[in-house]
Amino acid sequence: YPTDKIRNFSIIAHVDHGKSTLADRLLELTGTIKRGHGAQYLDKLQVERERGITVKAQTATMFYDYKSNETTKSYLLNLVDTPGHVDFSYEVSRSLAACQGALLVVDAAQGVQAQTVANFYLAFESNLSIIPIINKIDQPTADPDRVKSQLKSMFDLDPNDVLLTSAKTGQGLEHVIPAVIERIPPPPGKCDSNLRMFLLDSYYDEYKGVICHVAIVDGSLRKGEKITSAATGQSYDVLDVGIMHPELRSTGFLLTGQVGYMVSGMRSTKEARVGDTLFHNKTIVEPLPGFKPAKHMVFSGLYPADGSDFEALNNAIERLTCNDASVSVARESSTALGLGFRCGFLGLLHMDVFHQRLEQEYGTHIISTVPTVPYIFEYSDGSKVEVQNPGAFTANPKIRVVASWEPTVLATIIIPSEYVGAVITLCSERRGEQLEYSFIDSQRAFMKYRLPLREIVVDFYNELKSITSGYASFDYEDSEYVASDVVKLDILFNGQPVDAMASIVHNLKAQRVGRELVDKLKKFIDRQMFEITIQAAIGSKVIARETISAMRKNVLAKCYGGDVTRKKKLLEKQKEGKKRMKRVGSVDIPQEAFHAILKVG
Ligand code: GDP
Ligand code: MG
């Protein structure tokens, strides 16, 4: 396939507007997959199927015979499916790097939503040709004309260029691929230049080892060749090359403009640096501009639920991070939880998904500590540092925090006009500052806020959804740091601080958060043989306190004289319970207590 017969495109949309369904229909239409294969084909991960969201961008190559002016020409099309959720916009911009065009899918009833706006600008800034598609026109509430006028007023997209489809009934789908071929330019690479290959993604496969998804920008790649990484200078033998069709299919070569996979002698996915440029040994090429590195918005500690599983957790995290390069990992230790890791995530959903994948794909059980955002602290000795861990608030008792700054985001919120009041109230409770307030049509308001990141990582989205009956859409991008007044909130059991439960909170909110944490924890702690006090404190000042009185009877008291098997069962149950406890000083804290406090803030 010469480059003029290749098209690389992705599908971008607000979550649930039908990207993955549309992608499936295109794969069927081109005979790449059979009809009726069930759930969304490209959503391969269990977590994606369960949550109905796309987390990893997937690529598929399709072949299509295009008829025009009595002649038929065969085209090679690479489709990159992208995640829609805000936390994964890093994946979106990565996918776009390999594309020249994008299908912008908008739900015919819901119209333009917050992530439609964000994704449009990502594509627009990458100079992609944009094909607007209004999908779900089969719905009774569909109003394509209203959506067309939104697209015109917000993005200046010509209503005559808009395609109308239903990925459900198949209506209008026949126009999609011809539009891709006619309106999206072929990849611009040079066939006769030295190889320049862009590393889009990598993952670890039990049998083949590290598999890299690559885009051939210039030149070509063949099995058996030797290549070098621009980032590390390391050389590798190309062991296998091919396309995703949509399963891996070995072709032995990839040509200019193609997207495919490559297996080389890379031993660990750490060697496969996403955004790296690879080239043939002994050639000199200009490396491609890399990706903007992922910005970690949320940090939390990850510990094995059972202390002895540290190595297993270590392995699982290593494997998973090669499939999700956007997570940062550093070792840390906790007096309550032992050896573990401090991980940085792009957002709370990203963190949840990472936890779920660790459990589902690697069978590990974990305890996660209270998520925190990265603050900047200035200490009395003049040093200024980024702090990702409440434990590091004042690592050295001799120095004080003299000033602090917290990260903010620019949030876009789109809502039906009747919810404007409720949203303004929520945003001001969350210390937000309104920057813009306008209407995108007679029924929908568009608002821009600056919000402290700390205020949105803890349940903001759920709250926003619930006060707007699910109608709000929300997206954000990271913005500057602003001066803030924060304190470290400690949780103590019988006077002993539990490091894994400490958090950094705004001074104005400390009292309320402390009370909520103590109340919540009380519900999870069983009576023990002695009295237990739970306290929330700032420095030496206790701001909330609860007591759990001592237990009188032991488990067996009830069945003295009773039968032996019953006694055994009870003892076993008690043992089982113990296994899932963490002992702090003399107090046993169940794992659920660590989970329960994640959403207080
Ligand atoms: P994504 O989040 O953008 O990938 O959206 P999905 O493809 O997962 O679709 C979200 C939901 O909308 C699913 O329940 C689909 O079955 C449904 N859906 C997708 N396209 C259509 C359509 O054209 N008409 C109707 N009625 N439902 C659709
Ligand atoms: Mg999807």
Side-chain angles (χ1 to χ4, degrees):
Y1 285 86
T3 49
D4 69 319
K5 297 290 180 306
I6 297 176
R7 297 291 182 274
N8 296 327
F9 68 104
S10 72
I11 308 184
I12 53 180
H14 188 76
V15 67
D16 270 354
H17 283 194
K19 292 180 302 292
S20 302
T21 313
L22 181 68
D24 272 14
R25 291 296 97 78
L26 298 181
L27 293 179
E28 287 172 5
L29 210 101
T30 52
T32 314
I33 55 172
K34 288 200 188 70
R35 282 201 75 106
H37 51 80
Q40 268 133 23
Y41 192 86
L42 293 176
D43 288 345
K44 284 182 182 147
L45 304 172
Q46 189 182 348
V47 26
E48 293 180 321
R49 298 230 157 110
E50 279 176 16
R51 295 179 181 231
I53 54 167
T54 305
V55 171
K56 289 293 294 177
Q58 299 283 356
T59 305
T61 297
M62 308 178 281
F63 299 96
Y64 186 79
D65 291 327
Y66 176 60
K67 295 183 193 66
S68 75
N69 310 327
E70 307 293 305
T71 60
T72 301
K73 287 183 183 124
S74 182
Y75 281 79
L76 184 155
L77 311 168
N78 290 306
L79 161 67
V80 183
D81 189 21
T82 59
H85 192 276
V86 282
D87 280 8
F88 304 106
S89 52
Y90 173 72
E91 288 276 332
V92 178
S93 49
R94 264 166 50 184
S95 327
L96 297 185
C99 297
Q100 286 72 47
L103 309 181
L104 179 69
V105 176
V106 185
D107 183 306
Q110 289 190 12
V112 171
Q113 296 291 322
Q115 288 146 47
T116 317
V117 181
N119 285 324
F120 170 81
Y121 284 108
L122 278 179
F124 188 73
E125 282 157 15
S126 315
N127 287 318
L128 303 194
S129 306
I130 292 166
I131 301 176
I133 296 186
I134 298 179
N135 185 39
K136 305 201 190 182
I137 52 166
D138 59 287
Q139 297 174 104
T141 49
D143 188 353
D145 286 336
R146 191 166 72 96
V147 182
K148 274 186 191 172
S149 68
Q150 291 177 352
L151 290 170
K152 170 78 185 134
S153 75
M154 297 194 71
F155 311 130
D156 203 26
L157 292 168
D158 186 344
N160 297 313
D161 291 342
V162 176
L163 303 180
L164 301 181
T165 64
S166 164
K168 187 177 175 188
T169 66
Q171 202 184 338
L173 290 182
E174 68 279 11
H175 301 302
V176 176
I177 292 180
V180 167
I181 291 171
E182 288 159 19
R183 300 197 214 163
I184 295 175
K190 297 181 218 63
C191 313
D192 47 8
S193 293
N194 287 329
L195 169 72
R196 281 203 302 174
M197 166 166 68
F198 199 53
L199 208 159
L200 290 168
D201 198 2
S202 73
Y203 64 97
Y204 191 85
D205 178 274
E206 287 295 330
Y207 304 103
K208 293 183 190 260
V210 179
I211 297 183
C212 299
H213 286 181
V214 294
I216 310 295
V217 176
D218 294 315
S220 62
L221 175 74
R222 268 159 229 283
K223 187 175 165 173
E225 289 175 340
K226 289 187 191 310
I227 52 163
T228 303
S229 147
T232 64
Q234 277 272 358
S235 290
Y236 303 95
D237 289 322
V238 179
L239 306 174
D240 189 19
V241 185
I243 57 175
M244 285 82 85
H245 187 56
E247 303 300 335
L248 301 189
R249 181 190 285 186
S250 182
T251 55
F253 64 91
L254 284 171
L255 303 179
T256 314
Q258 279 193 280
V259 177
Y261 76 91
M262 173 197 73
V263 180
S264 65
M266 292 184 188
R267 257 160 268 115
S268 129
T269 47
K270 277 188 195 142
E271 292 175 63
R273 303 215 183 162
V274 168
D276 193 4
T277 303
L278 297 153
F279 50 90
H280 283 142
N281 282 6
K282 303 201 180 87
T283 63
I284 295 166
V285 302
E286 180 74 17
L288 299 154
F291 293 113
K292 199 174 112 197
K295 167 96 178 117
H296 299 115
M297 307 280 243
V298 182
F299 291 84
S300 84
L302 276 188
Y303 291 85
D306 184 345
S308 60
D309 284 344
F310 178 77
E311 273 312 312
L313 180 61
N314 188 16
N315 276 335
I317 288 181
E318 209 156 87
R319 290 277 180 83
L320 194 48
T321 47
C322 55
N323 199 348
D324 184 356
S326 54
V327 179
S328 75
V329 183
R331 291 208 175 192
E332 75 170 9
S333 66
S334 147
T335 37
L337 302 175
L339 272 184
F341 301 91
R342 176 119 308 236
C343 297
F345 302 97
L346 305 176
L348 267 200
L349 177 68
H350 183 217
M351 182 175 92
D352 272 1
V353 164
F354 191 78
H355 291 172
Q356 196 178 338
R357 292 185 67 186
L358 276 178
E359 304 216 329
Q360 285 176 345
E361 293 168 35
Y362 298 93
T364 54
H365 297 285
I366 52 167
I367 294 182
S368 145
T369 65
V370 182
T372 183
V373 301
Y375 292 93
I376 292 175
F377 288 150
E378 188 180 323
Y379 293 105
S380 49
D381 66 354
S383 60
K384 231 177 184 179
V385 288
E386 184 182 291
V387 169
Q388 304 162 352
N389 185 345
F393 192 87
T394 44
N396 179 346
K398 290 212 186 79
I399 54 176
R400 291 172 300 114
V401 175
V402 293
S404 56
W405 290 266
E406 65 180 325
T408 62
V409 298
L410 292 179
T412 301
I413 300 171
I414 295 180
I415 36 167
S417 4
E418 62 261 41
Y419 298 109
V420 163
V423 171
I424 290 178
T425 308
L426 172 68
C427 289
S428 70
E429 270 166 19
R430 302 287 185 129
R431 301 188 283 129
E433 176 198 352
Q434 194 181 76
L435 303 176
E436 201 181 324
Y437 173 23
S438 59
F439 288 87
I440 57 176
D441 60 25
S442 58
Q443 296 149 43
R444 273 172 202 275
F446 173 95
M447 296 202 270
K448 241 188 153 92
Y449 268 90
R450 176 183 301 287
L451 283 156
L453 176 60
R454 168 70 174 82
E455 298 292 335
I456 64 161
V457 296
V458 183
D459 239 22
F460 177 80
Y461 188 53
N462 285 340
E463 182 109 21
L464 179 68
K465 278 278 183 192
S466 95
I467 61 167
T468 59
S469 318
Y471 284 115
S473 73
F474 168 67
D475 193 46
Y476 61 78
E477 54 184 304
D478 52 297
S479 182
E480 63 212 43
Y481 275 76
V482 301
S484 179
D485 177 16
V486 294
V487 292
K488 182 183 176 200
L489 185 64
D490 283 313
I491 296 293
L492 299 89
F493 281 79
N494 283 353
Q496 192 133 7
V498 183
D499 57 355
M501 288 187 175
S503 55
I504 298 174
V505 295
H506 196 269
N507 210 352
L508 292 173
K509 296 198 157 186
Q511 186 72 41
R512 207 203 69 222
V513 173
R515 172 74 356 227
E516 255 180 71
L517 282 174
V518 167
D519 286 346
K520 211 158 200 176
L521 282 169
K522 186 181 180 186
K523 300 200 185 90
F524 283 89
I525 309 297
D526 287 334
R527 289 172 151 214
Q528 290 170 31
M529 302 307 289
F530 41 84
E531 185 182 88
I532 299 166
T533 58
I534 309 174
Q535 296 167 311
I538 299 170
S540 55
K541 195 173 113 218
V542 174
I543 57 168
R545 178 195 163 97
E546 282 289 335
T547 312
I548 300 166
S549 54
M551 178 166 67
R552 303 255 157 72
K553 291 174 258 179
N554 76 31
V555 198
L556 294 178
K558 273 184 254 162
C559 45
Y560 271 138
D563 69 278
V564 183
T565 52
R566 184 150 167 241
K567 251 187 221 171
K568 248 196 192 147
K569 255 193 200 143
L570 273 170
L571 283 171
E572 216 121 85
K573 220 170 156 194
Q574 203 181 35
K575 220 164 100 197
E576 182 98 326
K578 275 233 177 66
K579 241 178 38 195
R580 285 183 281 108
M581 294 282 181
K582 289 291 165 184
R583 173 156 282 209
V584 175
S586 51
V587 185
D588 286 331
I589 305 173
Q591 273 167 32
E592 293 75 48
F594 289 92
H595 292 301
I597 60 173
L598 295 185
K599 294 221 165 121
V600 177

